[in-house]
Amino acid sequence: MSINCVAVLGAGVMGSGIAAQVANAGFDVILLDIVPDGANDRNAIAAGAVEKMLKTQPAPFMDPRNQRRITVGNLEDDLGRLAQADWIIEAVIERLDVKRDLYKKVDAVRKPDSIVSSNTSTIPLQSLLEEMPESFQRDFLITHFFNPPRYMRLLELVTGPGTRDEAADEVRDFCDRALGKGVVDCKDTPGFIGNRIGVYWLQCAVLEAMRQGLTVEEADAVAGRPLGIPKTGVFGLMDLVGIDLMPHIMVSMDNLLSPDDAMREYFDVPELIKKMIADGYTGRKGKGGFYRLQRDGAKRVKQAIDLVSGEYHDAGKVKLESIDAARSGGPRALMEHPDKGGTYAWRIMAKTLAYAASLVPEIADDVIAVDEAMKLGYNWAQGPFELMDRLGPSWFAGRLRDEGAQVPELLERVGEARFYRIADGRRQFFGTDGAYHDIQRPEGVELLADVKLRAEPLAANGSASLWDVGDGVACLEFHSKMNAIDTDIMEMIRKALAIVPGAFQGLVIYNEAANFSVGANLGLLMFAANTAAWDDIEATVRGGQQAFKALKHAPFPVVGAPSGMALGGGCEVLLHCDAVQAHAEIYMGLVEVGVGLIPGWGGCKELLLRWWDNKRRPGGPMPVVSKAFETISMARVSTSAADARRHLYLRPDDGISMNRDRVLADAKARVIALAEDYSPAESPQPALPGATAKTALQMAVDGFHKLGKATDYDIVVADALADVLSGGDTDITETIDEDELMDLERRAFMSLVKRPQTLARIEHMLETGKPLRN
């Protein structure tokens, strides 16, 4: 049986979020909740949850229209609808009696072999199934989503001794391919993997900060980026998830953990935290938390709480030598440093890593599951065992012994070796049996990281490499800082254009960094502008235009495969590809106006031509020009791949992969399909209205200026953009070709880059990461 219809029982934050992600994947969802007392609308809770999600940020829906796939109802009148569902997800209140009562009602109406799962993370599976018939137990499992379900990739899957393999396989495959999840198999233990280790780490870090006299800012500065953990650190993360949540979790853990579990050392809830919760300081959802934003006139000032007095003060920058040491020497240098930051880092991570090592195989069969859970569920850059490898397992074990701490058995067994190694071009992990085993990828998952273990690049420089990724497909990888596009990337594009024909079916442009590309290297542009190297800048613009144009008209198919951000020049690369296979979470946009420029590598041209080719556009050239102008002048960035289609950054037939780990394989398949009877793209030659359109666009911008929504310099930038998109000196009786549009684009770009206002915007962006309104 395949999963085509899903039902979610419980329309709270988690239940409704799960329903939204299923709808994002293109499947029908039934969302049911209780009937509120005295309500005229018996479906009010479920219907209200959907309405609330349409206003929530970050948005649960990838496209607001996806809410149409959700059918709302209630648990009294609409249980019969569950007969339509292939998978029924329970996400009601964490009360065992409520869940068991609901399961009995579900079992009476569900169809044979339909799968039932619970989203619980606090109640053991064996407890949920008491009193349930064997026929229900064989179809039952736990699927623990992390919040928010759209954005957090971890899905913890727990099966019982009676769960049929087919049910687990169906859910695992659906969550992977359709919902984009990294599915980690866990054992039926308290908190499973992510929260068992994550809650221990949080509690340890909070209490140790208080015991050692660190400030909130110092603790987060140490327990964040220097350790490969998000910059929210510990206290920032507590504010994000809700400070009031932790005491509830600790009560649950207290009921489930063994008396000698190491977490019990950190069960205390400090008086300060109790008072904060009582006073409504529960984090971002409340009046504030460990941090809060206070208004000071027109500004908002970030403040942090004093962990001793409970008073707030303006948050300051942290300066610790241990953090400086970590920048060059990594986490071990941090932990070896004698200052309070190093002492704190060692204390919390020694405890956490040792705890994680002590839990295998109790909570998971292998170290991979633990590492994946912490990376996908808590956004750690390295999992606990990967981090121990960076420290050196023998060094770590030795320091534990020196301090009289117990060394976990698995850490003892690995000895002088590592938990991961490379053998015969394959990554292997150290098993609980004392042997190394190959890491197995799910079918359809291909990673460039694996290719790199067994092959050398076809060509490489400091910013880009060309790889053979198999099946007659080459892969162009960017690896400059933040994948900013520079002359080395342009050079590698030219090399790819020379190497691929005859040797490969086509080319994928792909990388596995956090972002596909943040655009042009503004630092290099600023340096050239400060030295008045205008000829060099123009040569770079011309070279980029020609390189991207050559990609577009190459004698082989080119498929862009982005994830994360694809901004400015990164977006322009994709606009010139024959097709794009995007990760569902792609944030694309032509954002150059934010630094006082316009797209200069063909972005204006390509977006204009896409609107011209759009079969659903209104007649005449003016709507084409207006749409492209609106998108570029407003620096619109897509909020998802579905949203990118609305802006025509993606075409209707471009592909979307829900799981980031499947993007490369899906892009390769697209190349192979396009390679059959491939012929290069031809560009249309639109008839543009020229001065008439430019005047109309200027009038629109003037209106924004009068309302205070556009600055004086915004008008200058918009005027240059309008000149390009309207066709310059052309008129409606003439057509304009690709090269003429590129000439207009290049001249407009050069006219802007020489202006001091543009240079001020670039400098501000480089210093702050934010646009300047001048």
Side-chain angles (χ1 to χ4, degrees):
M1 181 189 74
S2 59
I3 296 173
N4 294 302
C5 177
V6 176
V8 180
L9 311 182
V13 172
M14 284 304 301
S16 60
I18 294 167
Q21 185 65 356
V22 174
N24 288 334
F27 293 87
D28 292 332
V29 193
I30 300 164
L31 179 63
L32 308 181
D33 208 305
I34 62 173
V35 178
D37 292 338
N40 293 325
D41 180 2
R42 292 174 64 81
N43 303 334
I45 292 179
V50 174
E51 285 298 315
K52 184 178 180 180
M53 287 194 293
L54 292 171
K55 303 171 186 175
T56 299
Q57 293 297 329
F61 290 113
M62 294 179 178
D63 184 323
R65 293 172 294 184
N66 291 346
Q67 60 96 12
R68 300 172 188 168
R69 299 193 180 104
I70 299 178
T71 301
V72 299
N74 66 75
L75 291 169
E76 293 182 20
D77 305 326
D78 301 303
L79 273 179
R81 292 183 179 179
L82 299 186
Q84 307 168 33
D86 304 304
W87 177 21
I88 301 164
I89 305 170
E90 171 268 303
V92 301
I93 188 172
E94 290 288 87
R95 276 180 47 186
L96 184 56
D97 59 330
V98 173
K99 292 178 186 289
R100 284 179 180 168
D101 181 62
L102 181 59
Y103 295 162
K104 292 172 184 176
K105 294 176 182 177
V106 167
D107 198 32
V109 297
R110 71 186 183 99
K111 64 183 177 182
D113 292 333
S114 62
I115 301 164
V116 183
S117 72
S118 174
N119 185 56
T120 187
S121 65
T122 62
I123 302 176
L125 182 144
Q126 61 181 2
S127 298
L128 293 172
L129 289 178
E130 287 180 13
E131 304 175 7
M132 296 305 298
E134 183 180 335
S135 59
F136 184 86
Q137 294 187 31
R138 65 191 294 273
D139 294 331
F140 186 84
L141 44 100
I142 288 174
T143 49
H144 179 222
F145 290 79
F146 273 57
N147 191 36
R150 171 182 165 184
Y151 300 96
M152 297 303 294
R153 290 189 61 202
L154 179 60
L155 186 288
E156 292 180 315
L157 191 149
V158 182
T159 58
T163 307
R164 56 189 175 91
D165 292 341
E166 296 85 358
D169 291 343
E170 282 279 356
V171 170
R172 186 182 294 109
D173 188 68
F174 185 85
C175 290
D176 170 355
R177 295 176 187 270
L179 302 187
K181 299 300 174 185
V183 181
V184 175
D185 287 281
C186 309
K187 296 187 179 180
D188 189 18
T189 58
F192 309 133
I193 299 175
N195 284 343
R196 180 75 171 272
I197 297 171
V199 168
Y200 179 90
W201 167 70
L202 280 170
Q203 282 291 110
C204 174
V206 168
L207 293 178
E208 289 295 340
M210 291 179 169
R211 292 170 185 175
Q212 296 181 35
L214 273 76
T215 67
V216 166
E217 303 99 299
E218 287 171 337
D220 283 349
V222 171
R225 285 175 171 169
L227 293 170
I229 292 169
K231 66 179 182 180
T232 49
V234 176
F235 292 100
L237 179 59
M238 292 276 283
D239 280 354
L240 183 64
V241 300
I243 297 169
D244 56 332
L245 180 64
M246 293 304 291
H248 293 295
I249 293 176
M250 299 317 296
V251 169
S252 173
M253 290 294 186
D254 188 23
N255 293 331
L256 296 171
L257 291 174
S258 64
D260 60 348
D261 193 278
M263 192 183 293
R264 293 190 178 278
E265 179 184 354
Y266 295 106
F267 266 13
D268 291 343
V269 179
E271 290 302 317
L272 173 64
I273 292 180
K274 292 178 182 177
K275 185 176 187 306
M276 290 173 68
I277 295 171
D279 293 344
Y281 287 88
T282 54
R284 296 188 187 182
K285 67 182 179 181
K287 299 176 183 177
F290 294 107
Y291 296 98
R292 70 178 184 184
L293 291 174
Q294 288 292 95
R295 286 212 171 272
D296 182 6
K299 295 190 303 181
R300 301 180 78 187
V301 178
K302 186 177 183 180
Q303 295 186 325
I305 200 167
D306 186 297
L307 294 174
V308 178
S309 69
E311 300 295 323
Y312 284 93
H313 58 267
D314 291 354
K317 288 191 175 181
V318 174
K319 293 189 179 298
L320 290 171
E321 290 183 2
S322 53
I323 294 176
D324 294 334
R327 291 191 181 100
S328 56
R332 180 162 163 178
L334 172 69
M335 295 181 198
E336 288 181 323
H337 199 280
D339 75 4
K340 62 181 178 180
T343 302
Y344 176 66
W346 166 253
R347 180 70 175 170
I348 64 172
M349 295 313 294
K351 291 275 190 177
T352 301
L353 298 180
Y355 187 58
S358 73
L359 293 174
V360 177
E362 177 192 338
I363 63 173
D365 287 330
D366 52 53
V367 300
I368 301 173
V370 172
D371 282 346
E372 287 300 297
M374 292 308 294
K375 288 190 291 184
L376 297 176
Y378 280 79
N379 287 325
W380 287 18
Q382 299 98 28
F385 293 94
E386 292 171 325
L387 190 51
M388 280 186 266
D389 274 358
R390 286 196 67 187
L391 297 173
S394 61
W395 172 86
F396 181 60
R399 187 164 173 183
L400 289 176
R401 284 191 208 96
D402 291 344
E403 295 183 357
Q406 184 176 354
V407 178
E409 180 184 349
L410 190 60
L411 184 58
E412 288 276 21
R413 294 185 71 182
V414 80
E416 297 292 326
R418 294 286 191 270
F419 288 105
Y420 295 93
R421 73 176 188 183
I422 308 301
D424 300 323
R426 297 186 67 87
R427 196 173 188 223
Q428 297 181 327
F429 69 94
F430 185 78
T432 55
D433 59 356
Y436 283 94
H437 307 270
D438 288 347
I439 293 177
Q440 302 295 328
R441 305 290 184 199
E443 182 183 354
V445 170
E446 296 185 36
L447 299 180
L448 189 56
D450 291 341
V451 173
K452 293 178 180 181
L453 297 178
R454 57 180 182 266
E456 294 294 324
L458 302 168
N461 60 35
S463 297
S465 299
L466 188 67
W467 299 90
D468 181 346
V469 290
D471 300 315
V473 179
C475 176
L476 175 60
E477 176 200 20
F478 303 160
H479 46 70
S480 59
K481 184 178 180 180
M482 298 187 74
N483 290 332
I485 297 175
D486 56 19
T487 52
D488 278 352
I489 285 179
M490 295 300 182
E491 176 60 28
M492 194 53 58
I493 289 174
R494 286 187 278 271
K495 284 190 177 181
L497 289 164
I499 292 172
V500 171
F504 295 91
Q505 295 187 72
L507 177 70
V508 169
I509 304 178
Y510 167 84
N511 62 71
E512 288 167 358
N515 297 305
F516 177 77
S517 172
V518 296
N521 188 321
L522 292 178
L524 294 177
L525 177 60
M526 190 69 186
F527 177 81
N530 283 334
T531 58
W534 308 121
D535 289 344
D536 291 343
I537 292 175
E538 185 162 11
T540 299
V541 176
R542 189 187 300 273
Q545 287 181 331
Q546 294 301 327
F548 291 177
K549 179 187 174 185
L551 275 179
K552 178 179 178 179
H553 299 291
F556 53 82
V558 178
V559 174
S563 55
M565 291 190 291
L567 304 177
C571 182
E572 289 179 288
V573 172
L574 299 171
L575 290 174
H576 287 81
C577 293
D578 291 292
V580 173
Q581 184 69 38
H583 180 226
E585 299 295 349
I586 178 70
Y587 312 111
M588 296 178 68
L590 297 170
V591 297
E592 287 84 351
V593 296
V595 291
L597 293 169
I598 66 166
W601 283 329
C604 297
K605 161 186 65 90
E606 287 302 312
L607 194 63
L608 181 74
L609 295 179
R610 287 198 176 187
W611 280 106
W612 182 267
D613 272 346
N614 183 20
K615 295 180 173 62
R616 303 175 73 176
R617 68 174 174 86
M622 195 60 208
V624 172
V625 175
S626 296
K627 275 293 189 182
F629 181 82
E630 176 187 324
T631 302
I632 298 172
S633 66
M634 300 292 287
R636 295 198 187 281
V637 176
S638 70
T639 56
S640 65
D643 189 48
R645 282 178 171 162
R646 294 175 56 212
H647 301 302
L648 289 194
Y649 293 142
L650 294 182
R651 306 174 186 88
D653 58 348
D654 282 333
I656 297 175
S657 300
M658 291 294 286
N659 193 321
R660 185 170 184 157
D661 291 343
R662 296 184 176 275
V663 171
L664 177 57
D666 292 345
K668 281 177 58 180
R670 192 70 189 274
V671 166
I672 293 167
L674 288 171
E676 296 183 18
D677 302 320
Y678 177 77
S679 59
E682 294 184 6
S683 290
Q685 296 188 9
L688 298 176
T692 303
K694 182 176 179 181
T695 300
L697 296 175
Q698 288 172 328
M699 290 173 63
V701 175
D702 285 342
F704 279 99
H705 183 254
K706 290 175 182 177
L707 293 171
K709 297 181 179 180
T711 68
D712 291 347
Y713 196 59
D714 288 336
I715 291 180
V716 174
V717 177
D719 184 70
L721 177 62
D723 191 60
V724 175
L725 297 176
S726 62
D729 294 332
T730 189
D731 64 51
I732 197 65
T733 65
E734 303 171 338
T735 59
I736 187 167
D737 64 26
E738 190 172 16
D739 290 330
E740 290 172 311
L741 283 170
M742 288 195 300
D743 286 341
L744 284 170
E745 191 177 72
R746 186 174 61 255
R747 289 200 299 268
F749 183 96
M750 291 305 302
S751 73
L752 292 171
V753 78
K754 296 177 181 179
R755 291 177 175 267
Q757 298 96 326
T758 290
L759 300 184
R761 287 190 176 192
I762 295 173
E763 185 175 21
H764 188 268
M765 178 64 75
L766 289 170
E767 290 178 354
T768 69
K770 299 176 182 178
L772 172 68
R773 296 295 305 278
N774 60 345

